[in-house]
Amino acid sequence: MVGLGSTEDVNNGVYHNGLNGGLEEKVDELRRLFGKVEGDPLRIVGVGAGAWGSVFTAMLQEAYGGLKGKVLIRIWRRPGRTVDRATAKHLFEVINSREDVLRRLIRRCAYLKYVEGRLGDRTLYADEILKDGFCLNMIDTPLCPLKVVTNLQEAVWDADIVINGLPSTETREVFEEINKYWKERITVPVIISLAKGVEAELGPEPRIITPTLMINRATRVPMENILYLGGPNIASEIYNKEYANARICGAEKWRKPLAKFLRQPHFIVWDNGDLVTHEIMGGLKNVYAIGAGMVAALTNESATSKSVYFAHCTSEMIFITHLLAEEPEKLAGPLLADTYVTLLKGRNAWYGQKLANEELSLEMGDSIKGKGMIQGVSAVKAFYELLSQSSLNVLNPEENKHVAPAELCPILKMLYRIMIIREYPALAILEALRDETMNDPRERIEIAQSHVYYRPSLLGQQP
């Protein structure tokens, strides 16, 4: 596999395997699109420093940070969040287990503060350690050092490309704040959203609100300039150069040059024009990942039980996809791949396991220390409440009557009753697998494929 060399190599302008010229060409193409002149760098800002947001920004810094004068890469996170002593102690152990990281910190005169933090003689802050390459949600994976800005106005006011690394639950609020700083802008920025979460808007017509739509409403940046990047990826594995792929979705003007710009030897980026349905599917798989974690914990990692769950949950996802996409078959590969990796190792599956094992409780909320926001929790609520609306009723041929789509999705319904209204314990997820009607999961798929269930209004589109 082709690598980019060490962070020091990249930042010193030394590139291996002939990649230097390719990187400059990709930067120059983007600079031309933004109308950049000599001496005016392309300004890229990551907003939000969770695991994926930090890794994504760090990958760009590692690849392009050495092109001084052409690219300026920064990341914003809120100031003030402290690192507790136990985490500081673990962080110190990680540092000392990695010779390259240890040497780097000593060279930067930053090592002593981690010694003091471990001893409790100094309080470390999340934004402080991020400058040294440590994301609080992923401290076992050291990143390259990042330029961290804690003042939001300073971070975004002149940004050309803004990367939304915020959870969907925080996107609207932060971008409404950003909009205040863009009042006097002449040029229109490009925004790449990494968020995988949704909200439901029930009136006047039921519809799904995605992070890109939240950003559009908050900033009035046209949808042509807002893109979504998603795919089957685990942040720490991608930063460690495990082979991965993703899709950037949106208007052709930006998605094709950005796909080239973001592509690296170990991280292949394709492009696609269908932004909204890809974005929604990214939120949908988080719903079923929580249930997968519950099933794994409750059955002692039974491969048979997990496969039964997979059969049922994928049939529900395919059914829901037919409501949301005119040509749902085109989404099958990306949807199932993203679902597969999330069920294997994602934070939502981890959360489901912890709930089922009673190591976490619902009262603790959906922002978990060391993991960040569990976006599947709000997605369960959004999808169930949306698909429970009588105006969306579909024909259930088994009973020859019209029902809300949620009634044909027993796992989604049970997750809602466990997690949102808290009617049942996690153990009840197993009941959703024991289909007393003896219906094969394929029958749900056949129902979807044999009836015209597509509802463009769910995406805010005209039929």
Side-chain angles (χ1 to χ4, degrees), residues 263-332:
R263 185 175 297 147
Q264 298 188 27
H266 68 287
F267 185 62
I268 304 305
V269 180
W270 301 311
D271 70 278
N272 190 287
D274 189 353
L275 181 152
V276 177
T277 42
H278 276 84
E279 189 179 19
I280 290 170
M281 294 306 115
L284 181 61
K285 53 89 181 178
N286 286 335
V287 168
Y288 291 96
I290 293 177
M294 291 177 177
V295 170
L298 293 166
T299 63
N300 196 27
E301 296 289 344
S302 162
T304 301
S305 296
K306 289 192 288 186
S307 68
V308 170
Y309 177 84
F310 189 75
H312 281 281
C313 81
T314 51
S315 73
E316 288 191 19
M317 294 173 79
I318 292 168
F319 173 74
I320 294 170
T321 305
H322 276 74
L323 290 166
L324 299 170
E326 191 169 13
E327 299 179 300
E329 292 77 13
K330 293 182 178 180
L331 289 169

Side-chain angles (χ1 to χ4, degrees), residues 49 77-84 123-129 136-137 367-372:
R77 70 154 295 133
R78 291 183 178 90
R81 184 173 180 186
T82 59
V83 178
D84 63 54
T123 300
L124 297 173
Y125 292 89
D127 53 285
E128 177 185 15
I129 68 171
L136 195 55
N137 291 340
S367 181
I368 305 299
K369 175 187 166 185
K371 288 290 182 179

